[in-house]
Amino acid sequence: MSAPGKRAAVRTTQAPRITPMVAIAIAAPVVSLLALIIQAPADRQAPAGERAPGTRPLTAQALACPAGDGALVVGSGAQGGGDGSLRRRVAGTVAPPTPVDLPAGGQDTIPSAPGAVVFDATGTLAPSLYAARLGKGERPAAGECVPAVGERWFVGVGSGGDHTSTLQLVNPDTGPAVADVTLWSTDGALDRIESRGLTIPGGGTTTLDLEALAPHRNELAMRVSVSRGRVAATVQDTFAPGGGVPTSDGLPTTAPPATSVLVPGLLRTAQQQVLVLVNPGETEGRVALKVVGARSTFSPTGVPEIRVPAGRVVVTDLTKQLAAALASEDGSLSITSTVPVSADVRSVLAGDVVHHVGVGLAPGAAAAVVPPGGATTLVVDPGETAGTLRVTFLGPRGSELESRLLPGSARSFPVPAGTVAVLVTAKVEFAAALRTVGARGAALLPLRPLVDRQLVPAVAPAWPPQSGR
Amino acid sequence: MPPVRVTALLVSHDGARWLPAVLAGLSGQQRRPDRVLAVDTGSSDGTVALLTEAQTREGWGADAVLELTGSFPEAVDQALARIDTEWVWILHDDANPDPRALAALLEAAEPADGSPGAAIAGPKLREWPSLRRLLELGVTISATGRRETGLERGEYDQGQHDDIREVLAVNTAGMLVRRDVLVELGGFDKHLPLYGNDIDFGWRAARAGHRTIVVPEALVFHAEAAHRGQRRTAETGRRTRTHRHEREAALHTLLANVSARRLPFQLLRLVVGSVLRMLGFLLARLPGHAGDELVALVNVLLRPGVLIRARRARARLGTADPERLKKLLAPWWLPYRHGLDVVTDFASAAASHGRESAERRRLARAGETGPVPDEAEDLAADTGLLVRLLTSPVALASLAVLLLSLWGAREALGPLTGGALSPSPESSGDWWRLVTEGWHELGQGTDAPAPGYLLPFATAATLLLGEPAVVVSLLFLVAVPFAGWGAWRFLRVAADLAVGRPASRTTLAWGALAYAAVPVASGAWGQGRFGVVASAALLPWLAHAASGLFERSVELRWRAAWRSSLLLSLITMFTPSAWLVTLIVVGVLLGIGFRLARDLVAQREVWLPLATVVAVPPLLLLPGAVGLLGHDVTAIFLEAGRLAPTPGAIDLVAGRLGSPAAPVWAGLALLAPAAAALARARTRVPVLACWLFVVTATVLAALLSHLDITLPAGDARPGLGFLLVIIQGALVTAVVIAAQGLWSGFAGKHFTWQQPVAAVLAAAAVLVPVGGLGWWLTSGDDDLHRPRASVVPAYMIQAAEADSANGVLILRGSSERGLAWEVHRGDGPTLGEDEILALTGPDQHLGDDVTALVTRPDPEVVAELAGHGIAYVILPRPADAQVAATLDAASGLTQASAGDRETRAWQIDEPVDPHAVTGDGSWWNPVLLVLQAIGFVVVGVLSGPSRRETA
């Protein structure tokens, strides 16, 4: 190989001109360069990115209602015909299920159905099912029926002498379920309580008195997370304002911790309005409050910035401030925090306790049963976008109205007497609650989004394969 | 005492070449034999004429020359009838006695002082014609049938063995034997016509109580013509099957003479020994000898009658004193020492073969310029290793680089996984199963071929006491120094070939370091791309072997071809595109050759070795190559291991495989000197040859990068790792070649623009290894880690290992972002299984069932899963709450315990289908495996050093 090289060398030194060798020497890098230019860009060969889930109509739905002796109201937000069935059974018993005759889009009131009732809907009745247990006493009261989900937050529960809460856990499936209960108090997370790994037998129910779990705590926040199976959790709260007569009402589940929480449908007048906040995180945060009024959102006077230490429950009395702010208009509390918090406003009206909970913003349809015992108002809080709102008052004399929802201002609508349930539909995000105020007290039920479709995860073989180690 | 009488019995066969000297030696004896009897066994040359002439000249007597037919024992037998003297002195036609030979033999055999003499006496045999080398001073036989002389090979006679001593036997050439003993023992064994009859005779004499001595004072020069194959007889046949006859004789001698008690043991030892020797001969590229070994064994064992008769005849002679016999026979350990010697010889032959072509050329040059002074060589040889190490800058620098690279690779001191590297399996048996079995119980069961690299990995793991993890660690530990060492050796040859004089050490050191940095700086090391790492470490060795293709000697060219093909096969196992690159380059080279030098390249000995290099790897990779035909053929472009990102154009040319890798600028710095290398006219041709590789690799990369490999499991891109390595290697080589003599070229010249440019280029070149290796040693940035505990709980792994039908369905991801499923069998996907799984692809039916499982898990779906061989379902943490809730609600699934709280697991109640993943591999898989094994043995033997070099 060296011989021709020498020859080439001699030739170039004698006559510097473009020999074939020189031409090739120039061509080689040029060809390489061209090849590099047309080369395809780098390929990560990583697993395909996110695959959005699909949806399909919900074909089975179970709602668990709190135990009680009041009437049950169940409704269907679905439209159209088709096959579907609805049955009710009492969790923890072997009694056969009772069929419920409910047309799609209709409502039914079951006057007496004691125990932890579970509604099992299939087919066309499964989508958009909602239900609630109404109070039987003289004071307005109501407890929502809930589907089983992985995590529930309840803020403003208690286990003290004049404030006790009861947690009801229902397992709608046949296999056992396991739930963990975590409690926070004003002194921090209660980690010495035996609240992990509560097993609820298949089809059964477990009722947990918080007093037995962590006694002598008036202000608590609770998270119920399900580690095995499915569990529907509801809370019944009993409160004796000022050591008076204890009154009981359902404590609806509140929105999970977030930096922005909306508490719709505050009472305009109340003996007591207490904001209970929990910061389950590990860093301290600051919370600012605003009131979303009928015309604008404003900061109520005299409300300082609230400090929420890590892992603590903070209780702030807002009776005066809210009374001043809501004197002339219906409104909601908008909570902005530097760390995720969960909130509840506990009000006392005429000696009756009522809980206002954080409600998440969502578009679409939402419904709630109207709590009995007084005049009911629907309060709708807007999200960031303006849009049209359709309100349907369901009942024997059903009516409908349309309204415009503007950011920054809450809308309230009086609910006609005789209305059984209210359905709100919007293409934009909103949060809403039904507030009933009577002479003997008040009750509140937040509107819950109606689930009519089931998430179908996109399933694909793992590629490239993972080792698992 | 009456004077004893001696007959000299000269047995000849085609000995005209040596006979005149032998006859002269015979007639020059101080003690002339009383009678001479010459027996010729059918010579076809002038032997008989010479004998007749001597008969008249020396006056031997009327019937002193006999013409007989038959072997040596028969000739002696027939001649014995005509001998009436007490002693017979047997001479061969190639055994020339010293004048004092007979006198000394007689004196020793029948001492005048009445001390005990001997029945048989033999002379000291020295080599003829060298005359100084000792051949034999009596012989004995080892338990393996080897003829033992007790001498070193080629030992010079310096009087070191000059004592009369008793031996088992003496050679028949120059043997003085009492006539009555010959008669008593029945002469020589007719079944040992050519070889070994002397040992057998001596052994029988010992049994009969006779004494055999060797008399060093008596000297006979022996040509050992028959042994060396210089003589052909009816017995040895047309082809000189010397080895076979020698072995047959040895086996016969041992089996006929050994005591009955030891016979079974002896038989077993000979059979096993023969097989081992066969393997040894195969390794030493002596297939003829190996065949002889086998034929000899079979020949002896197939004639038990002969042996039985021989043993009966010997039994009549009585039994020798075992103690005495033990002394006469070779010690038991001797064969093992010989074995060790052979291994040492073979190793040194292999090492000396490694005497590189460059060195051969240097020697050739030395021949022209004059020899190196002896003192210089002696000095080098005498100095101790440590002194040489401490006084050699190259050795010191190499040691430093070695230690640094081991330190840099310290993470590999332990089991490794991460990036493209899957965890190693438990034992080498797992790898062997993948290699040998045609059906793998992975996924849903597959007949996809196992990746080729498993064969060397499994072999290495077996050698490393069955520890696959050690193989991987070792690869990652030594890749850098091994690549550097290979690069040093190759670059020395390449630079020498290119410029025709020894390469400068500075540039060699730079080149070796720059190349050694490639596997780590590219990120292949840190990203666990073991295929690229292995190929990078092996490539310079392949290049070095391939440099032998330019040798002048045809034999060396062929050997280089076999070695290159073996190394190319090995590299192809790790990075299949290596074969494609070689195919293209060989095609281009041959094409250019045909255009420029048709006469030279058209010669078979020139083009065929080159073609062999390309043709052999597909044959050696037969099971994988053929197995792939039933699957996606484009999968051959995949690199070893899990899928890894492919580099873009800039990364490719900078020698980077994406992050984590050394900074890109350190790689791009190589381009300037490599491009400038083209400008140097003197080395343009070899530098262009390097650029041919660069062009081929970049063009191939451009084409491959647009290729979409559609595997059943998903899409993939061809691996460009090997192309990157070869581009880097070629660029480094180009720079090293062009830099040769550059410094001396500038020295003493006037300052021009060239000096600063060269300085800048040199600085850029230095950045390459400094940046690459420096990054590796300091950053510690890589994807490698120790294998973590599997997400699959231990009890499930146990169940899965016990029966591969107990599969574990793993669902990763969430409902919102999508779920990815896979099935683990055994201990999960380990190194070597990724490629099989990639070729297999998931079962569509199973996929549908999994979708149904996470949406509406009715009992039928769950039962289907059991039918697919799935016993457990796992949601590794963080388990998706919705999917978990869905599965919790499903009937037919029972919640099972998992390793941690956030991982969810279920057991499927229905029993699994035990035959869910079983299957049969293709019938031809074993055939291909056998062919592959044979191919490796043949190519391995052909690439080994030849016998001539061993001797």
Side-chain angles (χ1 to χ4, degrees):
Chain A
M1 196 180 271
S2 61
K6 280 174 186 160
R7 225 169 21 241
V10 170
R11 207 177 291 157
T12 38
T13 45
Q14 283 181 348
R17 59 192 171 88
I18 301 288
T19 62
M21 224 27 111
V22 173
I24 298 173
I26 295 169
V30 172
V31 173
S32 292
L33 190 65
L34 288 176
L36 289 171
I37 288 170
I38 63 163
Q39 191 188 323
D43 191 329
R44 299 249 341 116
Q45 301 223 88
E50 296 187 9
R51 293 183 306 276
T55 56
R56 65 185 193 97
L58 199 66
T59 51
Q61 173 73 298
L63 293 181
C65 302
D69 44 9
L72 280 173
V73 177
V74 60
S76 161
Q79 284 146 26
D83 283 343
S85 73
L86 179 66
R87 294 186 299 177
R88 69 179 157 92
R89 61 188 157 100
V90 180
T93 63
V94 289
T98 316
V100 180
D101 186 22
L102 180 74
Q107 308 86 41
D108 188 24
T109 303
I110 301 148
S112 174
V117 171
V118 177
F119 286 109
D120 285 314
T122 58
T124 49
L125 282 178
S128 308
L129 191 73
Y130 60 89
R133 163 116 33 208
L134 306 180
K136 200 182 183 187
E138 296 164 336
R139 297 175 185 276
E144 58 181 351
C145 303
V146 294
V149 294
E151 191 177 87
R152 291 279 187 203
W153 285 82
F154 300 94
V155 178
V157 291
S159 61
D162 48 5
H163 183 198
T164 57
S165 306
T166 314
L167 172 67
Q168 173 190 296
L169 302 169
V170 174
N171 174 3
D173 299 320
T174 47
V178 178
D180 297 331
V181 173
T182 316
L183 288 172
W184 287 267
S185 75
T186 47
D187 297 330
L190 305 179
D191 45 10
R192 290 200 185 159
I193 55 169
E194 292 184 5
S195 59
R196 292 180 77 90
L198 303 168
T199 304
I200 304 105
T205 178
T206 300
T207 307
L208 202 67
D209 213 338
L210 292 196
E211 203 169 5
L213 206 60
H216 316 305
R217 305 275 183 177
N218 268 323
E219 307 291 353
L220 291 170
M222 171 167 63
R223 182 186 66 197
V224 179
S225 57
V226 183
S227 55
R228 297 283 184 275
R230 299 196 302 158
V231 171
T234 50
V235 166
Q236 194 72 18
D237 195 44
T238 307
F239 190 64
V245 185
T247 63
S248 192
D249 203 344
L251 197 165
T253 175
T254 189
T259 51
S260 173
V261 181
L262 210 52
V263 183
L266 294 174
L267 285 179
R268 289 176 61 179
T269 51
Q271 290 160 284
Q272 191 189 67
Q273 287 199 302
V274 175
L275 171 66
V276 185
L277 289 167
V278 63
N279 169 14
E282 290 178 351
T283 47
E284 184 179 297
R286 293 182 313 279
V287 168
L289 301 181
K290 281 183 176 174
V291 171
V292 186
R295 283 174 296 279
S296 65
T297 299
F298 57 92
S299 300
T301 48
V303 178
E305 197 178 62
I306 304 167
R307 238 169 33 86
V308 277
R312 301 238 173 141
V313 169
V314 175
V315 183
T316 316
D317 190 346
L318 294 175
T319 315
K320 282 180 190 162
Q321 293 88 335
L322 286 180
L326 300 171
S328 59
E329 54 190 325
D330 263 313
S332 307
L333 191 62
S334 165
I335 299 167
T336 319
S337 170
T338 54
V339 294
V341 291
S342 212
D344 172 87
V345 176
R346 188 182 62 237
S347 304
V348 177
L349 179 68
D352 183 29
V353 67
V354 59
H355 285 279
H356 308 268
V357 294
V359 180
L361 288 163
V369 173
V370 176
T376 306
T377 312
L378 166 71
V379 182
V380 183
D381 283 330
E384 306 263 317
T385 332
T388 310
L389 192 73
R390 176 186 292 274
V391 182
T392 314
F393 300 106
L394 301 163
R397 285 175 291 146
S399 62
E400 208 173 81
L401 63 86
E402 244 183 38
S403 179
R404 187 104 181 118
L405 196 62
L406 293 170
S409 54
R411 298 296 311 270
S412 57
F413 309 93
V415 176
T419 304
V420 178
V422 175
L423 175 70
V424 176
T425 320
K427 284 187 175 145
V428 295
E429 289 188 321
F430 67 93
L434 286 173
R435 184 192 63 205
T436 298
V437 179
R440 303 293 310 271
L444 181 133
L445 280 180
L447 270 71
R448 298 299 185 189
L450 295 179
V451 183
D452 60 345
R453 295 191 74 79
Q454 181 189 9
L455 215 59
V456 180
V459 178
W463 177 255
Q466 314 248 308
S467 86
R469 282 200 250 175
Chain B
M1 197 171 66
V4 291
R5 285 166 20 97
V6 182
T7 301
L9 175 63
L10 176 61
V11 185
S12 66
H13 182 94
D14 284 351
R17 194 170 144 195
W18 305 278
L19 205 53
V22 174
L23 292 172
L26 190 57
S27 63
Q29 288 297 309
Q30 285 179 5
R31 163 66 167 90
R32 299 281 297 262
D34 301 280
R35 207 182 141 201
V36 176
L37 187 61
V39 179
D40 188 81
T41 57
S43 295
S44 52
D45 59 357
T47 306
V48 180
L50 283 170
L51 290 175
T52 326
E53 188 193 318
Q55 180 188 17
T56 27
R57 188 176 65 235
E58 305 284 336
W60 286 348
D63 49 359
V65 177
L66 293 176
E67 283 188 68
L68 300 170
T69 52
S71 62
F72 174 78
E74 286 161 355
V76 172
D77 226 24
Q78 292 179 47
L80 203 55
R82 297 159 191 259
I83 295 174
D84 52 359
T85 57
E86 291 94 332
W87 290 92
V88 183
W89 190 32
I90 303 171
L91 281 174
H92 294 186
D93 56 8
D94 59 345
N96 180 11
D98 183 73
R100 252 198 59 73
L102 183 55
L105 284 172
L106 268 177
E107 268 169 35
E110 216 158 289
D113 55 7
S115 53
I120 304 162
K124 167 157 78 182
L125 289 185
R126 286 213 309 222
E127 197 176 85
W128 190 17
S130 97
L131 305 180
R132 288 297 295 170
R133 283 187 185 158
L134 283 171
L135 282 180
E136 276 178 18
L137 279 135
V139 288
T140 183
I141 189 164
S142 71
T144 52
R146 188 184 157 108
R147 188 181 175 92
E148 293 295 349
T149 61
L151 299 172
E152 301 289 328
R153 190 164 55 208
E155 188 175 334
Y156 275 85
D157 183 14
Q158 291 164 320
Q160 68 271 48
H161 299 292
D162 283 359
D163 290 317
I164 296 176
R165 56 191 179 88
E166 191 183 354
V167 291
L168 179 73
V170 293
N171 200 306
T172 49
M175 174 196 280
L176 181 70
V177 56
R178 281 227 316 268
R179 184 185 173 278
D180 55 344
V181 172
L182 260 179
V183 175
E184 178 195 344
L185 297 179
F188 297 99
D189 191 335
K190 314 288 179 298
H191 291 105
L192 300 169
L194 265 175
Y195 307 101
N197 44 34
D198 47 357
I199 293 179
D200 174 69
F201 183 72
W203 200 333
R204 283 188 286 135
R207 287 182 88 132
H210 299 297
R211 204 164 162 251
T212 304
I213 56 166
V214 64
V215 186
E217 208 186 328
L219 191 57
V220 169
F221 302 99
H222 192 205
E224 288 191 300
H227 174 76
R228 293 185 184 187
Q230 289 167 352
R231 168 154 53 198
R232 287 178 184 178
T233 66
E235 299 298 336
T236 53
R238 216 164 54 76
R239 291 170 63 207
T240 47
R241 297 266 68 139
T242 319
H243 184 75
R244 186 171 96 202
H245 293 287
E246 279 184 336
R247 270 315 280 174
E248 248 181 80
L251 297 178
H252 179 87
T253 306
L254 277 174
L255 294 176
N257 286 298
V258 78
S259 68
R261 196 164 48 85
R262 295 178 52 85
L263 185 65
F265 172 71
Q266 184 67 57
L267 194 64
L268 182 73
R269 184 167 177 178
L270 286 178
V271 170
V272 173
S274 292
V275 171
L276 287 180
R277 286 166 67 101
M278 267 175 67
L279 290 178
F281 283 126
L282 278 179
L283 279 180
R285 287 213 297 153
L286 293 167
H289 276 47
D292 285 348
E293 197 73 34
L294 181 68
V295 172
L297 182 69
V298 171
N299 271 352
V300 171
L301 295 183
L302 279 187
R303 291 180 300 181
V306 174
L307 275 180
I308 291 168
R309 278 196 296 280
R311 289 189 63 83
R312 280 212 190 112
R314 280 158 183 77
R316 283 197 288 275
L317 296 172
T319 42
D321 169 20
E323 279 305 307
R324 183 172 158 237
L325 196 62
K326 198 177 163 189
K327 268 185 225 153
L328 296 178
L329 286 169
W332 64 269
W333 44 261
L334 200 61
Y336 303 106
R337 214 199 75 180
H338 287 308
L340 195 66
D341 287 350
V342 168
V343 171
T344 321
D345 284 355
F346 192 75
S348 65
S352 79
H353 171 82
R355 197 175 3 130
E356 295 150 8
S357 31
E359 215 160 308
R360 275 197 289 278
R361 265 183 296 282
R362 194 167 306 146
L363 288 177
R365 271 197 300 277
E368 291 157 22
T369 54
V372 183
D374 279 353
E375 304 89 81
E377 285 198 337
D378 289 349
L379 191 68
D382 287 349
T383 329
L385 187 68
L386 188 66
V387 176
R388 268 193 285 165
L389 180 75
L390 291 178
T391 51
S392 156
V394 173
L396 277 179
S398 310
L399 188 67
V401 170
L402 177 71
L403 292 177
L404 269 179
S405 66
L406 290 179
W407 185 77
R410 64 197 178 283
E411 194 171 0
L413 293 168
L416 273 189
T417 182
L421 182 69
S422 285
S424 308
E426 285 287 306
S427 78
S428 56
D430 297 332
W431 275 345
W432 280 120
R433 266 193 295 284
L434 288 176
V435 170
T436 52
E437 287 174 3
W439 183 267
H440 313 293
E441 293 182 349
L442 300 170
Q444 291 314 103
T446 175
D447 63 348
Y453 63 79
L454 281 185
L455 184 62
F457 267 18
T459 312
T462 307
L463 293 177
L464 293 169
L465 306 174
E467 285 286 344
V470 178
V471 177
V472 177
S473 293
L474 203 62
L475 170 65
F476 277 73
L477 269 178
V478 303
V480 170
F482 197 70
W485 182 22
W488 173 278
R489 281 168 58 97
F490 165 67
L491 290 172
R492 190 158 60 159
V493 176
D496 192 57
L497 266 173
V499 295
R501 63 161 178 250
S504 121
R505 285 184 168 185
T506 319
T507 56
L508 282 186
W510 172 82
L513 281 178
Y515 185 79
V518 170
V520 285
S522 64
W525 195 94
Q527 297 170 26
R529 301 183 186 222
F530 62 97
V532 180
V533 171
S535 289
L538 289 170
L539 181 64
W541 298 89
L542 167 64
H544 182 260
S547 68
L549 290 166
F550 300 99
E551 287 283 350
R552 289 208 185 102
S553 143
V554 176
E555 200 202 328
L556 288 178
R557 274 210 299 279
W558 268 111
R559 178 129 16 99
W562 292 119
R563 286 187 182 184
S564 307
S565 63
L566 199 61
L567 280 163
L568 179 61
S569 306
L570 209 55
I571 293 179
T572 304
M573 289 169 174
F574 289 102
T575 45
S577 50
W579 181 76
L580 200 62
V581 173
T582 317
L583 177 73
I584 293 172
V585 168
V586 165
V588 171
L589 279 182
L590 285 179
I592 294 174
F594 267 111
R595 274 196 75 83
L596 298 182
R598 178 179 283 270
D599 295 342
L600 178 73
V601 178
Q603 286 174 33
R604 238 173 74 104
E605 306 86 66
V606 175
W607 67 265
L608 199 56
L610 269 173
T612 305
V613 174
V614 184
V616 167
L619 296 177
L620 290 187
L621 302 175
L622 258 185
V626 176
L628 210 56
L629 292 180
H631 297 267
D632 195 318
V633 180
T634 45
I636 64 160
F637 296 119
L638 291 178
E639 266 159 26
R642 294 183 207 149
L643 275 192
T646 59
I650 301 281
D651 272 353
L652 179 78
V653 81
R656 302 290 180 258
L657 286 165
S659 183
V664 172
W665 54 260
L668 291 175
L670 181 59
L671 293 178
L678 284 165
R680 201 172 177 217
R682 214 189 131 192
T683 53
R684 189 166 290 146
V685 170
V687 167
L688 266 179
C690 297
W691 272 92
L692 170 66
F693 280 93
V694 178
V695 171
T696 309
T698 46
V699 170
L700 204 56
L703 295 177
L704 286 181
S705 68
H706 288 283
L707 182 72
D708 218 350
I709 302 176
T710 316
L711 296 172
D715 286 349
R717 295 267 174 209
L720 304 180
F722 179 76
L723 300 176
L724 178 146
V725 170
I726 203 152
I727 290 173
Q728 292 294 304
L731 292 177
V732 167
T733 311
V735 173
V736 168
I737 288 174
Q740 294 308 315
L742 207 58
W743 183 252
S744 52
F746 284 135
K749 283 240 181 102
H750 288 296
F751 186 79
T752 64
W753 59 271
Q754 289 171 322
Q755 278 101 325
V757 168
V760 169
L761 291 176
V766 168
L767 279 182
V768 177
V770 169
L773 288 173
W775 170 83
W776 180 54
L777 290 171
T778 55
S779 82
D781 190 7
D782 60 49
D783 299 337
L784 299 176
H785 55 82
R786 301 267 169 270
R788 303 186 184 113
S790 172
V791 295
V792 182
Y795 71 94
M796 289 190 197
I797 293 182
Q798 269 180 11
E801 280 178 336
D803 183 357
S804 35
N806 288 331
V808 181
L809 175 70
I810 299 182
L811 288 163
R812 285 172 215 274
S814 63
S815 348
E816 287 81 27
R817 305 171 57 149
L819 289 169
W821 63 269
E822 57 190 320
V823 177
H824 278 210
R825 302 206 182 270
D827 53 353
T830 50
L831 187 60
E833 296 177 356
D834 300 302
E835 292 87 342
I836 301 175
L837 284 169
L839 277 177
T840 307
D843 190 317
Q844 185 58 46
H845 194 154
L846 174 60
D848 295 342
D849 286 341
V850 174
T851 310
L853 178 75
V854 296
T855 341
R856 38 172 204 288
D858 46 44
E860 291 79 47
V861 169
V862 177
E864 286 273 314
L865 286 178
H868 287 298
I870 289 177
Y872 301 98
V873 181
I874 283 197
L875 292 186
R877 69 170 180 182
D880 182 74
Q882 192 202 318
V883 180
T886 310
L887 296 183
D888 277 332
S891 54
L893 284 177
T894 304
Q895 293 170 19
S897 67
D900 57 277
R901 285 179 59 84
E902 286 173 84
T903 299
R904 295 296 315 277
W906 293 265
Q907 182 170 11
I908 290 183
D909 298 342
E910 195 100 350
V912 292
D913 176 4
H915 305 296
V917 293
T918 54
D920 295 316
S922 38
W923 60 266
W924 36 258
N925 195 56
V927 180
L928 295 182
L929 283 171
V930 169
L931 286 178
Q932 185 187 29
I934 293 175
F936 266 105
V937 169
V938 169
V939 176
V941 165
L942 286 171
S943 21
S946 67
R947 170 77 174 206
R948 245 161 294 161
E949 281 159 291
T950 322

